[in-house]
Amino acid sequence: MDPQRMGQMQSSLFAPQRSSSVNRAPSKQPRISSRPPRSGTPSALGKHPREIAILEEEDGMDMGAVHRRHASVERPSFAISLTSPDPADQQLIPQPPARKFVKIAKESLVEGNESLYRDAGLAFGRSFRVGWGPGGMLLHLGQICGPYDEVIPPDSFSLVHLTVITSTSQDEAKERDRSTEHLKIFFDHIEPKPEHGIPKVQITPGLTFQPFAALFHQDEPSFEASVWKLATALFDIIDLEVMERGNAKQIGWIDNLRRRAAVGDWLQAAVVPAVEQVMLNGSATPIEKVFALLNGNQVERACQVAVEAGDLHLATLLAQAGGDKRFRDDMVDQWNIWVKQQADVFIDDDYKRVYALLAGNASTARSSKSNDPALKVGLVDVRKDLDWKRAFALHFWYGCSLEDSVHTVVERFDEAEADPELAAVRGRLMSSIDKESPFANPSPWYVAAQTQNRGHTPHPRQRGDTLLHLLRLSCDKSYSLSQTLDPLCVTPNALDYRLSWELYTVLSTRLSFPEDSPEQAELVRLGDLIAVSYAMQLEFGMQIDEAILVLLHLSDPISRAAAIQGVLMRNAEMMDDHVQYTFDLPEEWCAAAKGALSKYMGDSVGAMQLYIKANEQKFACDIAIADLVPDYVIREDSERLKELFEVFNPEKIDDWPVRGKLFLDYVALLSNIPRLVRQIAEEPGSRATNKQLERADRMMTQVTNLLRLLPPVLGTNHNHNHHHQNASQASGGSLLTMAHNKRHKAALDEMMGRLVNLVGGLQTILVGRPRAKLDLRGVEAGARLKAVQTAMYEKFCQSTDAL
């Protein structure tokens, strides 16, 4: 083996120990550090310490020089603190100075090269990521889960799943019918209000909640029916049926009673299912049934249950439940006597809840205090094990008087949640995670019924119940409307914005703020957000007319126009004249959508005509050049080529001189040059007049410009010069950014060949006159050869004239 080769292998495998002053120093324990490698160290240089030793030994490289040279060219890591360096490290490795950031070029190496199949990672990188498909399809690995779900890792990560995500929480057919039925009501209560030439609709003030509530049966137990009925009771104007001569105070008092009665009817129907569940429970005691019936304001049935149980004294008291203030005061005095005498210790808890309710205590009632453990009782929590609606019912019917307004009842209900004594009881009875009152911000209705949906919500308890939000909103119009209309307060599907948009649209006619106030700006912003989300949901369900109706409510004209045009573009195959006439949409919008569909279907002539009708002449010109020009040129159909570009308005196309005008000039030259040559030949002595020579000069200039500008316009690239490349960039929309196409190449060769052939006649006329030089690069060989022959003939003629 070669000794030199053996030495290299030996030095690479068994590096000798370096003899330096550092090695001769007393050995110390190695210091373990979690700091990242500093610039200039072997690790930062990307080399193994053994390789550094080899470099030092073979090349005589000093390690300190390596550190200094590397530090001079590399910026320190962001993980290194320059203000307080380690003194020990500072002695071994000097810190390089901080430098400015390097300016990154704005040009992207990826943009425009997504179809570069030579780079598979660039071309197919997005194809293998988790992503959405049409119709709500989601392609993914593993399983879809929420933040609260316990997920078991899949057995194989090579198995791909296809999941279809729906935008409704119930049956799609029923939801579709319901949304159509509700939108018909909105359509009957809108009036057109065009803004800056862009269509817009506005809800008339006469729209109320009652038409929507009337669509549900009186005993409909669904949550949506309950929402509409409560909104009707809270916000709709009540016909007081009083004479106009009544004073304002009396009218206000009557309105308060009527509205309280309407809310009471809704509340009584809302708590019926919970009350009947207790009544059907065979293990429930008579006093538990009595308390449940009081929740539903069914006092008569409660008295019957007490009589049947033999408790006539309780039945007598129940008959006066929710009565006048004198009865409540008497019950309060009796309760205080029991507490003072510590007689409440011997009363059953369920009886105490009923007695406290009769005394007007709808939340808590105090108990006697004693140091004797046998006589020690806790605070009476009247609302124990109740949902928020039954707890609110206790305040509505027993905690407040009949003259108190709904506003007062809501305030009393919220104040009870801030009761420190009740908070203390809740802190002792509940776990730390549930110490927040279930009545202050109750969970949505679907959480209790379908616990599996909890994994698909950010945190259901924080969403609240729309019914309670509506009650608070009726008392304070500055209450959070975004929280009230959150889709997850209404439905377990976060993509279902139907009820949110419908509630907002009617509520917006009831909530009025100053025009320039922050509240009004927030109201408009929220309305636009909900409208766009609901329109997307309707479009997802192929309800195109309904989606356009919703988008017509957007406040910003530019956003409204863009959104509606986007819907038309994506659903042009489902669009007919009915959509345009129903919503008074501009004809240009519909024509542009149909033009895009015609282009997609391959009908280039129809697409061009529709784009011209849509006043999008730039796109129409792109289509003509990209799809129609090559065929007409190859077939030598000059008349059709001329008619193709005569329909355009040059003022509406920015780059018309270097686009469509080129083809009109080409057609004109095909007839004008032979005609001029014939006219000169008919002159005496075949001598051209000055006017004819000027025409010949202009035609020669036109031919020269066409030979220079046609290649970039037809999408070919012969690397002529920078001007050609700039012209190609300036003239190109996406339709003209095409590869080297055979049809375009053949058309270009045909046009340039015919132009070069026509030049021969002009050159014989312009012998000896100065003119632009023809650029024959890219011209086919036959035409180029003929041009050379013509040029040689011209030189021959000049030579003979000189003799």
Side-chain angles (χ1 to χ4, degrees):
M1 182 178 292
D2 185 7
Q4 185 177 1
R5 178 65 175 170
M6 177 67 76
Q8 293 177 355
M9 295 176 61
Q10 182 179 4
S11 61
S12 63
L13 296 175
F14 308 98
Q17 298 292 333
R18 290 179 294 170
S19 58
S20 61
S21 59
V22 178
N23 290 336
R24 288 193 297 268
S27 61
K28 297 181 180 180
Q29 292 291 336
R31 179 168 56 90
I32 301 176
S33 175
S34 60
R35 297 167 63 88
R38 296 183 178 275
S39 58
T41 61
S43 300
L45 288 171
K47 296 183 179 293
H48 193 276
R50 183 169 61 241
E51 299 180 19
I52 300 296
I54 296 172
L55 292 175
E56 287 185 338
E57 181 180 6
E58 294 184 353
D59 300 336
M61 183 184 297
D62 180 54
M63 191 60 195
V66 175
H67 293 165
R68 289 189 296 273
R69 185 172 72 243
H70 188 73
S72 65
V73 299
E74 181 169 327
R75 186 176 57 194
S77 169
F78 290 110
I80 300 175
S81 175
L82 297 178
T83 57
S84 57
D86 192 341
D89 292 344
Q90 185 68 21
Q91 294 177 0
L92 295 176
I93 303 173
Q95 292 294 330
R99 302 194 311 169
K100 294 182 178 179
F101 291 101
V102 179
K103 184 178 180 180
I104 301 176
K106 296 182 179 179
E107 292 78 8
S108 173
L109 298 176
V110 179
E111 184 178 3
N113 297 321
E114 290 84 359
S115 299
L116 187 63
Y117 294 107
R118 288 172 291 179
D119 189 342
L122 180 63
F124 301 105
R126 295 185 177 182
S127 301
F128 297 95
R129 297 189 304 181
V130 176
W132 291 96
M137 292 186 296
L138 180 63
L139 194 66
H140 60 92
L141 300 174
Q143 61 181 358
I144 300 177
C145 62
Y148 302 104
D149 290 347
E150 295 182 1
V151 182
I152 301 176
D155 298 333
S156 174
F157 287 96
S158 61
L159 184 61
V160 180
H161 300 274
L162 181 62
T163 305
V164 178
I165 306 298
T166 61
S167 59
T168 59
S169 57
Q170 300 179 6
D171 182 70
E172 294 187 8
K174 294 182 179 179
E175 284 290 322
R176 180 187 180 93
D177 295 340
R178 180 166 294 177
S179 63
T180 303
E181 192 175 21
H182 286 192
L183 287 172
K184 286 181 180 179
I185 299 177
F186 285 105
F187 186 78
D188 295 336
H189 292 82
I190 61 174
E191 55 182 359
K193 292 286 185 179
E195 186 178 12
H196 305 292
I198 299 174
K200 180 183 179 181
V201 297
Q202 184 175 356
I203 297 294
T204 58
L207 180 62
T208 63
F209 289 96
Q210 196 277 332
F212 301 94
L215 296 177
F216 298 90
H217 191 269
Q218 185 176 1
D219 298 330
E220 174 70 39
S222 65
F223 177 79
E224 183 177 352
S226 183
V227 169
W228 288 116
K229 293 175 182 178
L230 175 61
T232 302
L234 290 174
F235 300 101
D236 280 359
I237 298 176
I238 299 177
D239 186 9
L240 302 181
E241 300 178 356
V242 296
M243 293 182 295
E244 296 181 358
R245 64 174 180 268
N247 57 42
K249 184 177 181 181
Q250 292 176 344
I251 294 177
W253 184 76
I254 296 173
D255 179 79
N256 174 47
L257 290 180
R258 294 284 180 85
R259 193 167 301 278
R260 180 184 172 89
V263 175
D265 292 341
W266 165 82
L267 187 59
Q268 188 168 356
V271 300
V272 162
V275 173
E276 295 302 327
Q277 184 177 2
V278 176
M279 297 302 295
L280 295 176
N281 186 5
S283 60
T285 61
I287 191 60
E288 290 177 348
K289 293 181 179 181
V290 167
F291 185 78
L293 291 171
L294 291 178
N295 285 171
N297 196 31
Q298 300 184 32
V299 178
E300 184 178 354
R301 288 183 64 188
C303 294
Q304 292 177 356
V305 171
V307 171
E308 293 175 357
D311 198 338
L312 301 181
H313 295 286
L314 178 61
T316 304
L317 296 176
L318 291 176
Q320 307 175 67
D324 56 8
K325 185 176 182 300
R326 181 177 178 181
F327 171 75
R328 297 184 184 184
D329 292 340
D330 293 340
M331 290 299 303
V332 169
D333 294 339
Q334 181 61 53
W335 184 270
N336 292 333
I337 293 174
W338 286 339
V339 171
K340 183 178 180 180
Q341 298 178 356
Q342 295 186 350
D344 58 328
V345 177
F346 306 102
I347 302 177
D348 184 75
D349 291 340
D350 292 327
Y351 273 92
K352 285 193 289 187
R353 295 172 68 188
V354 173
Y355 289 143
L357 196 60
L358 295 177
N361 293 325
S363 56
T364 59
R366 66 188 188 93
S367 302
S368 59
K369 299 179 181 180
S370 175
N371 296 327
D372 188 354
L375 300 178
K376 192 173 184 180
V377 293
L379 193 68
V380 178
D381 187 0
V382 181
R383 302 180 300 181
K384 180 182 178 182
D385 299 330
L386 299 181
D387 56 40
W388 78 266
K389 282 181 284 190
R390 287 189 287 172
F392 180 79
L394 298 183
H395 286 272
F396 189 87
W397 284 308
Y398 309 106
C400 300
S401 64
L402 296 177
E403 294 79 11
D404 290 335
S405 64
V406 178
H407 185 184
T408 303
V409 178
V410 175
E411 286 184 346
R412 297 275 182 88
F413 177 76
D414 290 336
E415 289 173 359
E417 302 308 314
D419 187 355
E421 294 184 356
L422 183 60
V425 173
R426 188 176 295 113
R428 290 192 302 266
L429 299 180
M430 300 181 181
S431 60
S432 58
I433 193 173
D434 292 328
K435 283 185 179 180
E436 181 184 1
S437 171
F439 308 125
N441 194 22
S443 300
W445 63 273
Y446 57 86
V447 174
Q450 299 177 354
T451 55
Q452 64 269 24
N453 287 333
R454 186 179 180 87
H456 298 281
T457 58
H459 201 306
R461 172 63 63 83
Q462 297 176 0
R463 297 290 178 177
D465 194 320
T466 299
L467 297 173
L468 182 56
H469 291 322
L470 288 175
L471 286 167
R472 290 168 175 167
L473 181 65
S474 66
C475 303
D476 182 10
K477 67 177 184 179
S478 63
Y479 185 76
S480 176
L481 194 61
S482 60
Q483 186 178 5
T484 304
L485 302 178
D486 191 325
L488 289 177
C489 292
V490 184
T491 170
N493 194 325
L495 302 177
D496 192 353
Y497 278 84
R498 179 182 62 81
L499 188 54
S500 298
W501 182 83
E502 294 170 353
L503 288 173
Y504 168 84
T505 306
V506 186
L507 282 172
S508 61
T509 63
R510 300 289 185 268
L511 304 176
S512 60
F513 299 99
E515 187 66 26
D516 299 330
S517 63
E519 293 82 2
Q520 181 65 22
E522 177 64 18
L523 183 67
V524 173
R525 184 200 66 83
L526 179 64
D528 291 346
L529 176 63
I530 296 177
V532 171
S533 302
Y534 184 39
M536 180 182 66
Q537 177 185 346
L538 291 171
E539 183 183 358
F540 181 80
M542 308 307 292
Q543 296 177 264
I544 308 304
D545 295 8
E546 291 82 355
I548 294 176
L549 174 60
V550 172
L551 291 175
L552 286 172
H553 291 78
L554 292 178
S555 61
D556 182 62
I558 298 178
S559 301
R560 185 168 62 252
I564 296 175
Q565 291 180 34
V567 173
L568 296 175
M569 283 287 183
R570 292 188 295 269
N571 304 276
E573 70 280 2
M574 302 177 58
M575 185 180 59
D576 52 18
D577 295 337
H578 170 74
V579 177
Q580 177 183 347
Y581 298 141
T582 301
F583 302 110
D584 196 18
L585 300 179
E587 185 180 3
E588 292 81 2
W589 294 3
C590 300
K594 295 178 181 178
L597 178 62
S598 299
K599 182 65 178 67
Y600 175 77
M601 301 300 294
D603 182 9
S604 299
V605 176
M608 187 194 73
Q609 295 173 351
L610 287 169
Y611 273 121
I612 293 176
K613 187 178 180 181
N615 203 20
E616 296 286 351
Q617 300 208 15
K618 179 66 165 55
F619 291 130
C621 188
D622 289 346
I623 294 174
I625 296 174
D627 298 338
L628 303 177
V629 166
D631 295 336
Y632 294 162
V633 171
I634 294 173
R635 296 201 305 262
E636 299 183 1
D637 193 347
S638 301
E639 291 298 327
R640 294 290 299 274
L641 187 61
K642 180 181 179 181
E643 295 173 357
L644 184 65
F645 289 96
E646 283 181 340
V647 298
F648 292 103
N649 185 357
E651 297 179 356
K652 296 185 178 181
I653 302 178
D654 298 336
D655 50 359
W656 174 256
V658 294
R659 299 294 301 285
K661 188 176 183 298
L662 298 179
F663 299 96
L664 291 177
D665 293 343
Y666 168 77
V667 174
L669 289 173
L670 291 181
S671 58
N672 292 339
I673 292 178
R675 185 184 304 111
L676 180 62
V677 173
R678 288 194 304 269
Q679 292 175 356
I680 295 175
E682 294 174 356
E683 294 291 335
S686 299
R687 293 287 182 177
T689 62
N690 292 334
K691 186 175 181 180
Q692 290 173 338
L693 290 176
E694 292 177 358
R695 289 183 59 193
D697 285 335
R698 289 196 299 269
M699 292 180 184
M700 192 66 184
T701 302
Q702 288 180 334
V703 171
T704 304
N705 291 334
L706 288 176
L707 294 176
R708 179 170 53 89
L709 295 175
L710 281 175
V713 172
L714 285 176
T716 61
N717 185 10
H718 299 288
N719 296 324
H720 280 16
N721 49 40
H722 293 292
H723 177 76
H724 289 174
Q725 297 175 5
N726 294 336
S728 177
Q729 294 175 0
S731 64
S734 60
L735 292 171
L736 294 181
T737 308
M738 58 186 71
H740 184 68
N741 187 279
K742 293 182 179 180
R743 292 172 58 251
H744 292 80
K745 179 65 171 60
L748 181 63
D749 291 343
E750 177 69 20
M751 295 178 69
M752 298 181 73
R754 296 184 69 180
L755 290 173
V756 171
N757 292 335
L758 293 173
V759 164
L762 292 176
Q763 287 179 333
T764 58
I765 300 173
L766 300 173
V767 173
R769 293 177 63 87
R771 57 184 180 273
K773 184 180 179 181
L774 295 177
D775 188 355
L776 300 178
R777 286 176 294 179
V779 180
E780 62 175 350
R784 189 164 57 248
L785 178 59
K786 189 171 182 179
V788 172
Q789 292 174 350
T790 304
M792 296 302 296
Y793 176 73
E794 181 182 358
K795 289 183 179 180
F796 174 75
C797 293
Q798 292 177 356
S799 300
T800 57
D801 292 342
L803 295 177

